[in-house]
Amino acid sequence: MTGYPDHRRGDEEASHGAARFVCSVVVTCLLFVASGTEHAACATTHEHARGVVRSPVMTSVPENWHQHGMASWYGTGGKMSRATASGETFDPDALTAAHPLLPLGTRLRVRSMRTGRSVVVRVNDRGPFHGHRIIDLSPEAARQLGMLGAGTSPVAIEPARPEDEVASAPR
């Protein structure tokens, strides 16, 4: 304590900071629940005193489910020969993706907000676990969306329909 009334001890300041963070997350989630997009916003990971706490994986995808946010692509270096969460070997030429909550095997239509291109991918891995990204794409999916050079792109994702099975791109 320095003697100034607005200076607190370190442990008190840390607990007040954590309380402010938790309150802001709760308020944000309540706002998203009220708007019907709670799956997109409240599906987060955060650190807890005993480690990282992740939201549970969804057992099914509601018909009107959708999500908007940043996508990235992955698949260089050590990921090339590793097994994905589904047990299959990572294939950079496949149209696959990693999502933290959707059931493995879910087919998604991913549309780049920058290029207008879209591609259908299959969720076969978990992630992304970096920043506020909502999906990691295979290099081939990223190439078809036109985002390889940028590394990330704002996207909209939704469950794929049977007629979405072919990748599309405006010319």
Side-chain angles (χ1 to χ4, degrees), residues 14-110:
S15 67
H16 287 288
R20 279 192 296 262
F21 173 76
V22 168
C23 287
S24 66
V25 169
V26 169
V27 169
T28 302
C29 286
L30 289 173
L31 290 172
F32 278 108
V33 166
S35 70
T37 58
E38 71 274 8
H39 294 298
C42 298
T44 59
T45 61
H46 58 279
E47 290 194 31
H48 188 268
R50 287 177 251 155
V52 175
V53 178
R54 292 193 174 90
S55 298
V57 173
M58 297 166 63
T59 57
S60 64
V61 183
E63 192 173 308
N64 62 348
W65 180 90
H66 64 280
Q67 197 173 18
H68 298 266
M70 290 301 286
S72 55
W73 64 273
Y74 72 114
T76 58
K79 296 194 187 283
M80 297 301 276
S81 62
R82 76 167 178 86
T84 62
S86 66
E88 59 192 84
T89 302
F90 176 76
D91 180 1
D93 297 322
L95 295 175
T96 57
H99 193 277
L101 298 176
L102 293 174
L104 297 175
T106 301
R107 299 184 72 73
L108 298 172
R109 180 174 178 256
V110 181

Side-chain angles (χ1 to χ4, degrees), residues 4 7 11 26 28 53 59 80-81 83 109 112 120 140 143 151 165:
Y4 294 103
H7 287 198
D11 57 339
V26 169
T28 302
V53 178
T59 57
M80 297 301 276
S81 62
R109 180 174 178 256
S112 170
V120 174
E140 179 59 20
R143 185 191 68 75
E165 290 302 313

